[in-house]
Amino acid sequence: MDWGALHTILGGVNKHSTSIGKIWLTVLFIFRIMILVVAAERVWGDEQDDFICNTLQPGCKNVCYDHFFPISHIRLWALQLIFVSTPALLVAMHVAYRRHEKKRQFRKGDQKCEYKDIEEIRRQRFHIDGSLWWTYTSSIFFRLVFEAVFMYAFYFMYDGFRMPRLMKCSAWPCPNIVDCFVSRPTEKTVFTIFMIAVSSICILLNVAELCYLLAKFFLRRSKKAGNQKQHPNHENKEETKQNEMNELISDSCQNTVIGFTS
Amino acid sequence: MNWAGLYTVLSGVNRHSTAIGRIWLSVIFIFRIMVLVVAAESVWGDEKAAFTCNTQQPGCNSVCYDHFFPISHIRLWALQLILVTTPALLVAMHVAYQQHQEKKLLVLTGHGDPKHMEEVKKHKMRISGSLWWTYVCSVVFRLLFEAVFMYIFYMLYPGYQMLRLVKCEAYPCPNIVDCFISRPTEKTIFTVFMLVTSSVCIVLNMAELVYLVVRACARRGQHNSNPSSGKSSFYGHKLSSEYKQNEINQLLTEQDGSLKDMLRRNPGLQEKGDRCSAC
């Protein structure tokens, strides 16, 4: 079970996404997961082995490394990518549930005219409306939240996104203050900035998708309301006519009564 | 055979699970197995190489590491995940057995052509009758394994926390020696993460158990209020057609739903002479 399997799972969700959603998925897999696997993992591969402290005191290096890197960048990114890609599974589950319901109705005989056979239901692409719209919107919202949380966690843990060359450590058992040198700091800074930039692009794509879905929702709603105004029901027309007649009759009756009393 | 192989095997079981069962399987594969493979294994990768003791005494390092880490977290998690996912195979075996019975029945009623055989393989089994008991047992075993491993973790590594420093005085270390563990904070974070996902899985399993029990009780209540036409008796002359009909009826009552649905959907399947009394 690795990134390839995740790609297989999420590839199925792609069919029911919006265009922006498909772009987001591509950016995620090519510019984040692939970069992580083919490049970033090599850069951080020797992070502990080549973390050197200016001391012979056993244990000082371990303790200082642990103090400055509570959780490595690579692991944080891996967790971020897993959490950010998982809300799409909510959509996949909802689509699977809808498909299952349609199949059930087809078997009962309710939708025979709509679909030729069950294979067509399996291949069908669902429109993002009704409850699926809410699921989809929630999944985008969760993606945004996870992205923001992880970016904040990065910023909080590493005081900005720069990797310093030298760190001064005074944790026990290091004697006094000890200089510790990080391996490949510039390369790590470059990749950190790259991953942060792509993360920001993903956040922008998610915000754009959210706006697009909301705009589509309101547009559809206003269209429905407009249609109802322009084409009222035949019954409504008749009712208003009858009401008007009743009003006229009651007016004329009142006049007659007043006429009588006076 | 690796985690991908296990995923292939268990994806087949997914089709016959409840909705909660499918969520459980997704949580297991994405939040536990995948995190184990892509993240946790690299954190524990250098656990022995970077385990440093403040001594030059040969052998002290190895002995202290062995004393404090009788079995590594990674290996324990791998065992836990394998044992927890395996009860689902009981269900897979039972489903395969039921499918075999259905195929036999179809051949008996004269519908042994490849198209109907394929349909037997494809349709989803209802979780009722003996399959319900197998399913419930598998969920109970899952719960048991999860609980046992969480307890083992707690016993071996009290508090689930990884310390930075451990003091060791096992022979051949002279007196008491300070030993430093590599990446203790990162290891603690991942231990807590795996613990939380394990608890989530336990909650999902309990919810699934409750759901199955409630569903079974509801179905029983329905049966009691609408008594069925009764099981077909097996009495009667052992004339060939009646005997055949009785055998079919018995097999149908054992199947409890899934095959009846299939036959009901395709009324053309039933031949003129046969009246499927249990349908």
Side-chain angles (χ1 to χ4, degrees), chain B residues 20 24 27-28 31-32 77 80-81 84 142-143 145-147 149-151 153 160 190-208:
Chain B
I20 305 177
W24 171 84
V27 169
I28 283 263
F31 291 100
R32 292 175 79 177
W77 282 325
Q80 179 180 18
L81 288 165
V84 153
R142 275 187 228 162
L143 270 168
F145 287 135
E146 293 271 20
F149 273 91
M150 278 181 78
Y151 179 70
F153 255 106
Y160 300 112
F190 275 97
T191 307
V192 169
F193 180 86
M194 294 296 263
L195 189 73
V196 165
T197 47
S198 190
S199 316
V200 166
C201 287
I202 287 178
V203 166
L204 284 170
N205 283 331
M206 285 170 118
E208 197 175 7

Side-chain angles (χ1 to χ4, degrees), chain A residues 116-227:
Chain A
K116 264 181 275 165
D117 62 358
I118 241 169
E119 279 304 312
E120 216 183 302
I121 298 178
R122 212 172 272 167
R123 277 182 267 124
Q124 186 205 23
R125 188 193 161 207
F126 289 106
H127 285 298
I128 302 172
D129 52 13
S131 52
L132 184 60
W133 184 91
W134 287 102
T135 310
Y136 198 87
T137 316
S138 313
S139 79
I140 297 177
F141 179 72
F142 278 119
R143 273 188 229 161
L144 273 167
V145 165
F146 288 138
E147 292 270 22
V149 162
F150 274 94
M151 277 183 81
Y152 178 71
F154 252 107
Y155 187 80
F156 180 74
M157 267 196 260
Y158 297 107
D159 279 332
F161 302 119
R162 213 181 125 258
M163 186 70 82
R165 268 185 190 173
L166 161 74
M167 291 168 166
K168 291 188 182 287
C169 174
S170 56
W172 188 88
C174 303
N176 307 307
I177 300 177
V178 156
D179 291 336
C180 293
F181 300 90
V182 178
S183 116
R184 310 183 212 241
T186 312
E187 202 168 1
K188 285 178 180 169
T189 307
V190 166
F191 273 98
T192 307
I193 292 175
F194 180 86
M195 293 296 262
I196 295 290
V198 181
S199 189
S200 315
I201 291 173
C202 286
I203 288 177
L204 282 171
L205 284 170
N206 284 331
V207 168
E209 199 176 4
L210 208 59
C211 293
Y212 169 73
L213 285 170
L214 285 168
K216 211 164 84 163
F217 174 74
F218 286 120
L219 211 73
R220 209 181 290 152
R221 221 182 191 185
S222 61
K223 252 194 200 166
K224 259 192 208 161
N227 278 347

Side-chain angles (χ1 to χ4, degrees), chain B residues 31 63 105 156 177:
Chain B
F31 291 100
V63 161
L105 181 63
L156 285 174
V177 155

